[in-house]
Amino acid sequence: MRYLAQVDVDPAALEERWGAAEAICDDLAEWFCFAFSPMEGEAFFLQREVHHPPAHGFVLSVTEGLFSSNCAGRIVETLGIPGALVTEVNAEAVP
């Protein structure tokens, strides 16, 4: 999994559309996560730090096959959340 983009999307709208976020913990923090697998062998997830998010919205991480700037926009469209948008894309992403 690799960081692809920053996504501005309302957490309440995500939960209404896709159900409750999963809460996970790592050595850094506790995170709200939404995980998706759109096709065999590929996956993406949205994550946001629970208590002190450093930025508005969610971090979008993807598997290698989805690591492109075009995919970032398509993924956000697929979420089906009005007003959701990509606000920043990893400069290393394939155009």
Side-chain angles (χ1 to χ4, degrees):
M1 297 297 282
R2 231 174 135 183
Y3 162 73
L4 175 60
Q6 184 73 26
V7 176
D8 187 4
V9 59
D10 178 21
L14 270 174
E15 286 193 13
E16 184 177 313
R17 173 81 166 94
W18 295 103
E22 201 173 322
I24 61 168
C25 293
D26 63 14
D27 291 340
L28 300 174
E30 182 178 9
W31 304 88
F32 286 132
C33 294
F34 293 90
F36 303 88
S37 182
M39 63 190 89
E40 183 75 27
E42 299 297 345
F44 67 89
F45 71 91
L46 294 164
Q47 69 182 41
R48 175 184 173 98
E49 206 229 325
V50 172
H51 301 291
H52 306 287
H56 183 70
F58 286 77
V59 170
L60 172 63
S61 295
V62 299
T63 51
E64 194 62 34
L66 299 173
F67 190 68
S68 77
S69 54
N70 290 336
C71 280
R74 290 197 321 255
I75 287 169
V76 170
E77 287 176 19
T78 300
L79 293 174
I81 308 291
L85 59 102
V86 174
T87 58
E88 179 181 314
V89 176
N90 182 339
E92 296 176 0
V94 176

